Amino acid sequence: MFIIKRLLLNKLFLSGFLTISGLLLVSTLYFFFFNDRIPTASLLYDSQGKPLPAPYSYKNFPPLGTDNFGRDLFIVMLVGAKYTIAAALIITFLRVFPSIWIGLIIHFFLQKIEKPLKSIADAFNYFPMTLLAFLLLNGILISEVEMILVDGALIKGPEPLPYLSRILFYFVIFALLFIPTNSILIANEVKSIYKKEFIESSRTLGASNWRIVTKHIKPFLVPQLAIIFLRDFIHTLILMSHLAVLGLFIGGYMRRGDLFGFTKQISNSNEWAGLLGMWWEFLWTSYPWIAFIPILFISLLILSAKGMMEGLTRVLAAVDSMREPVQKRIEIETIKGDRPFERIHLSNVKLIK
């Protein structure tokens, strides 16, 4: 509770927390009150009466303009906020929670093979995770049946998985890629905590592994896990954005005709990474601001999480500096007498803590 009170007084942590929780709350309330309805702009005309093609700029349709389907970009971003934050939180939880148990198992039961496991985990760091995730997910997240040319004949491609299965595969594969690295990291944290003297004393007195973990390691490990969680949350958002630019959206996409009947891809979930992938091509058109809108919102999320992590780090450092070695001294003041082995009466003993 002491750390939580100090976090609520830390401006960096508080501003980041309020930004993320505020976006999540407003987006969720919009779902309950308006069922995620996205208004669409009607066809606009110029001064000569000719129809103006969508997208419309922020001047013609404030505050952010519309996309090529005529959808209000501000509402699209608002609808996608909860899916973006929820997806990043779920993926991060799947990355961190199993890693805690695997890290504990490595420390207590697999110390002999810890070095080989660490070498394997380090090897993952040298491989571009975006490329590995793309190779694993590209064949799974197909959203539509495509025709494949085999021996000069067109045949149907594989049937796409159901919507929920695609989301589940996305989350699981995303998490599995980072569990080895996180497990080794947490095992190292446990090892550094395990070297403390009071844990060795507890072990000497016969404490079990479970008691050492729950009573002695847990208070030191939980704050470090919070920092790891926030760091992975940021990393997850970045990786989601990279994959979306490569055409992999959470939940896939569908095809829909715009105001002029041109068929375009549209993200099923409207999460911000998917919107970035969907609008990426606008960078090379006369509407480049549309591609920058999800970039700005994702950057806001990343900066908010970074602020929370920085605030938490500062609070933990301040708390550590306040901690002094526990030295419970019990000084017994005795009445100095002429005889060194004079009998001491309890009424004359004073305890000083």
Side-chain angles (χ1 to χ4, degrees), residues 107-108 111 189-197 199-200 203 209 212 217:
H107 174 73
F108 284 103
Q111 289 187 357
E189 289 289 338
V190 174
K191 180 185 288 184
S192 63
I193 299 171
Y194 197 80
K195 293 177 181 176
K196 295 185 180 295
E197 292 181 359
I199 292 182
E200 188 176 347
R203 169 67 73 188
N209 289 336
I212 289 174
I217 292 179

Side-chain angles (χ1 to χ4, degrees), residues 218-244:
K218 181 181 171 185
F220 291 89
L221 186 62
V222 168
Q224 299 303 322
L225 290 177
I227 293 176
I228 293 173
F229 189 91
L230 289 171
R231 186 208 61 188
D232 278 20
F233 179 79
I234 295 171
H235 195 202
T236 299
L237 285 173
I238 295 172
L239 195 53
M240 283 169 57
S241 305
H242 290 172
L243 287 179

Side-chain angles (χ1 to χ4, degrees), residues 61 84 110 113 123 131 145 155 179 231 288 308 314 327 331 349:
F61 200 89
T84 310
L110 300 176
I113 59 171
L131 181 58
V145 179
I155 62 172
I179 285 179
R231 186 208 61 188
M308 290 178 66
R314 291 182 184 181
Q327 295 178 352
E331 298 179 1
V349 175

